[in-house]
Amino acid sequence: MITAEDVALYFVEYGPEGSQLRALELDETGNIKNWPAGFFGDDFTDIATLARLSAEHRLRAAGGDTSA
């Protein structure tokens, strides 16, 4: 099984001083916890938020920790 610790994802942010890499954080279900603002647009952000909240609800119901 692959865990969040086994995966590294990065987002490239462009700015006036050049490009910078920002590490994306994953939860235990593989969802990105720190989506860059406007990354996929508002509709996708809404869908991702609903999916994250649903996963957190399932974890709570199963007795898992969602405090990370």
Side-chain angles (χ1 to χ4, degrees):
M1 175 166 70
I2 296 175
T3 67
E5 291 78 29
D6 297 324
V7 178
L9 297 174
Y10 296 90
F11 178 73
V12 178
E13 293 182 309
Y14 300 101
E17 297 182 20
S19 302
Q20 295 184 354
L21 290 178
R22 178 163 44 135
L24 299 178
E25 301 169 17
L26 299 177
D27 65 15
E28 352 14 86
T29 60
N31 292 306
I32 296 173
K33 299 190 304 185
N34 60 334
W35 279 106
F39 183 62
F40 280 118
D42 291 336
D43 292 338
F44 187 82
T45 301
D46 291 345
I47 292 168
T49 299
L50 289 172
R52 179 182 53 80
L53 292 172
S54 177
E56 288 175 1
H57 175 74
R58 286 191 306 272
L59 282 172
R60 274 195 305 275
D65 181 13
T66 62
S67 62

